[in-house]
Amino acid sequence: MKQSKRAQIHMSETIAVLFIFFILVLFGSVFYYKYSEISFKQQQEEMFAKRAIDTTTKTLFLPELLCSKGESGAEQFCVDMTKLRSAETVFNNNKGYYFGMFSYANITVQQIYPEVVDGGVDTWIVYNNLKPDTTKIEPTYFIVTLKDETHQSEGKPSYGFGVVKVEVYS
Amino acid sequence: MSSRNKGQMEMAGLVVIVILITLGILFMAQFALKDEPSKKIFTRKELAASTMAALMKTTVVDCTGGPTQFPQIEGDLLDDCAVWGNEYSQYVCDGQPSCSFLHTKIEELLGETLGVWGKKYHFVSEKVSTGMSVFEEKIEGLNGNCEDRERDTSGDFYLPSGDGLVRSVLYVCE
């Protein structure tokens, strides 16, 4: 009788230990599942952010927009207004080519200075391809100079101050 | 013997619990010490450099008095400001001498862009020989400056003015 009681106590002790052990394992599993889920989401976000960076970099160094100085190198962070004014037509006529480059994105250039007089254009849509079922938009802004060869003084072009806005859709 | 065995088992249980808790803490630490997203760093770094390059190159359309019809912010107006100051400024832009105009215009352009995007920033332009600021007042964002923060810089832009070297730099932070 005494031995059976001792065995019972021993048994309940083992059950309690096993119970606690499984509770800990359960906690661990739940935690790991949550961690994996968050980690996956973060990875997706990182890939999306990388695409935003790639698209922005491609835009900033796009020969179709970049200022050039004859045979010397291109001017960094500079958009040629002459190219920009006809960019929308060029991009629309070659949609397939630019889709391979930018995928679903919206690229606009806005002139901040000099201020545009009433009725004038101060924003140019370079590329626009909206994803129908888009869930997320990641905008990136960059400041550029707007080189205008048509507005010269003493043979030198004028430079405006503008913003390039690149939005990528996922 | 039996009590020694029991003690050993309890010790092993304790070790398992300690290991599980340590693993948990390590997981949490991994979350807490996560680096700033690479996009943010890239954007801020490039933003400071591109903003400064664009700002320095911009030509102003409403100036009179100086040798150039469309003076450039860095090459012409900053030089005029560093050499002549407000009192003897050659250029008059929007009815203001070069230093006052530059202060207003730079503040306005940065405010319309970096300020609207919620960035903190401050712009410094000083004479290298004396370390004195070219402007009488500071140029900084409405959201604050980056003096005591982790910040990104545009890099130094040096102008060999008629009154020695002038160093200009833009700091941008979150």
Side-chain angles (χ1 to χ4, degrees), chain A residues 6-152:
Chain A
R6 257 177 79 180
Q8 267 182 345
I9 292 170
H10 206 76
M11 194 71 146
S12 41
E13 248 181 30
T14 313
I15 288 168
V17 167
L18 279 173
F19 179 74
I20 290 167
F21 176 75
F22 282 115
I23 289 279
L24 284 174
V25 168
L26 189 76
F27 268 132
S29 307
V30 169
F31 196 78
Y32 185 72
Y33 172 74
K34 284 269 172 205
Y35 172 77
S36 308
E37 203 178 53
I38 292 168
S39 174
F40 177 70
K41 268 185 194 164
Q42 269 177 347
Q43 242 175 8
Q44 273 189 322
E45 267 172 35
E46 263 172 40
M47 276 169 65
F48 186 49
K50 195 179 169 294
R51 191 160 79 82
I53 294 173
D54 285 347
T55 311
T56 310
T57 315
K58 277 179 200 163
T59 310
L60 290 175
F61 295 97
L62 200 67
E64 288 88 327
L65 297 175
L66 206 61
C67 307
S68 46
K69 260 187 181 173
E71 284 179 11
S72 61
E75 292 177 61
Q76 263 202 335
F77 306 120
C78 178
V79 170
D80 192 322
M81 290 298 284
T82 316
K83 292 178 181 179
L84 182 65
R85 284 181 192 117
S86 53
E88 200 174 352
T89 320
V90 173
F91 278 68
N92 277 334
N93 291 344
N94 301 280
K95 270 185 178 166
Y97 172 73
Y98 289 107
F99 182 74
M101 194 180 275
F102 299 119
S103 182
Y104 292 107
N106 179 28
I107 302 165
T108 52
V109 179
Q110 190 193 353
Q111 182 174 320
I112 305 285
Y113 181 85
E115 288 92 357
V116 176
V117 285
D118 288 341
V121 180
D122 71 343
T123 305
W124 293 266
I125 298 167
V126 175
Y127 175 83
N128 190 16
N129 203 337
L130 182 73
K131 196 180 176 188
D133 55 343
T134 187
T135 50
K136 201 176 171 194
I137 302 172
E138 181 88 26
T140 311
Y141 300 93
F142 265 95
I143 294 173
V144 289
T145 27
L146 305 172
K147 183 183 182 182
D148 197 349
E149 297 273 5
T150 60
H151 198 231
Q152 291 195 350

Side-chain angles (χ1 to χ4, degrees), chain A residues 31 35 42 53 75 77 112-113 115 138-145 151-154 158-159 161 163, chain B residues 27 30-31 34 39 42 46-47 50-51 54 57-61 69-70 105 108-109 112-113 117:
Chain A
F31 196 78
Y35 172 77
Q42 269 177 347
I53 294 173
E75 292 177 61
F77 306 120
I112 305 285
Y113 181 85
E115 288 92 357
E138 181 88 26
T140 311
Y141 300 93
F142 265 95
I143 294 173
V144 289
T145 27
H151 198 231
Q152 291 195 350
S153 142
E154 293 132 29
S158 68
Y159 286 90
F161 189 82
V163 172
Chain B
F27 263 123
Q30 203 177 348
F31 271 118
K34 199 123 185 94
K39 185 188 177 252
F42 166 83
E46 294 296 313
L47 191 62
S50 69
T51 306
K57 241 184 202 177
T58 301
T59 48
V60 179
V61 288
Q69 192 192 355
F70 299 136
K105 194 45 88 185
E108 191 184 295
L109 291 176
E112 279 177 39
T113 49
W117 305 330

Side-chain angles (χ1 to χ4, degrees), chain B residues 10-71:
Chain B
E10 270 176 16
M11 203 65 166
L14 208 68
V15 168
V16 168
I17 288 169
V18 168
I19 288 172
L20 285 172
I21 289 172
T22 314
L23 280 176
I25 290 171
L26 280 175
F27 263 123
M28 275 153 68
Q30 203 177 348
F31 271 118
L33 300 174
K34 199 123 185 94
D35 288 339
E36 206 177 341
S38 56
K39 185 188 177 252
K40 256 188 176 175
I41 298 168
F42 166 83
T43 312
R44 214 172 54 202
K45 267 198 162 124
E46 294 296 313
L47 191 62
S50 69
T51 306
M52 193 63 175
L55 194 64
M56 294 287 108
K57 241 184 202 177
T58 301
T59 48
V60 179
V61 288
D62 322 301
C63 293
T64 53
T68 315
Q69 192 192 355
F70 299 136

